[in-house]
Amino acid sequence: MSEREWRFYITDMVGFCEKVLAFTQGLQQAQFVADAMRFDATVRNLELVGEAASHIPQDVRNAHPTIPWRMLIATRNQLIHGYLGLDNDILWSIVQTDVPVLLQQLKLLASEEI
């Protein structure tokens, strides 16, 4: 995969993270869980983050070890395949704590010179 191609995935990941934050902005956890449309849209975008991460070449992942690539992919797999076992507390923690940090890391990676 060319560098240009994998950078498209990074750009997509930034967009997915921004959507997650927009969908949950100003909400408390109970409001988020009660709003089925926002909840589902958020879960879907988290899945897409993990799917895009799985397309990033290993050498790029190795060069950016602060981005939790394996965790992103594992989270995607859990969301896709473990839907009956979603833990709302963990999901909310990901949205509130992990996604903002990830978004900054991805923006930094996206801004690096080719």
Side-chain angles (χ1 to χ4, degrees), residues 4 10 15 18 25-27 30-31 34 39 43 45-46 53 60 63 70 73 77 90 94 113:
R4 180 180 163 109
I10 298 298
E18 288 174 340
Q25 184 176 12
L27 297 179
Q31 294 170 300
F39 185 93
V43 168
N45 278 276
L46 290 173
V60 175
R70 290 176 53 105
I73 296 165
N77 292 339
I90 292 172
I94 289 169
E113 295 283 327

Side-chain angles (χ1 to χ4, degrees), residues 57-69:
Q58 191 61 50
D59 61 322
V60 175
R61 293 185 209 175
N62 292 343
H64 299 88
T66 60
I67 297 175
W69 303 106

Side-chain angles (χ1 to χ4, degrees), residues 59-101:
D59 61 322
V60 175
R61 293 185 209 175
N62 292 343
H64 299 88
T66 60
I67 297 175
W69 303 106
R70 290 176 53 105
M71 184 61 69
L72 296 174
I73 296 165
T75 299
R76 176 256 181 214
N77 292 339
Q78 179 62 33
L79 293 171
I80 294 276
H81 301 293
Y83 63 92
L84 293 176
L86 286 183
D87 183 307
N88 292 335
D89 292 334
I90 292 172
L91 184 61
W92 187 246
S93 176
I94 289 169
V95 167
Q96 294 295 299
T97 306
D98 299 332
V99 172
V101 172

Side-chain angles (χ1 to χ4, degrees), residues 11-49:
T11 300
D12 287 345
M13 292 173 72
V14 167
F16 301 143
C17 287
E18 288 174 340
K19 285 182 181 180
V20 165
L21 296 178
F23 295 155
T24 58
Q25 184 176 12
L27 297 179
Q28 297 298 316
Q29 181 178 351
Q31 294 170 300
F32 167 68
V33 171
D35 188 331
M37 194 176 325
R38 285 179 192 258
F39 185 93
D40 289 350
T42 299
V43 168
R44 177 64 179 147
N45 278 276
L46 290 173
E47 292 168 355
L48 292 170
V49 167

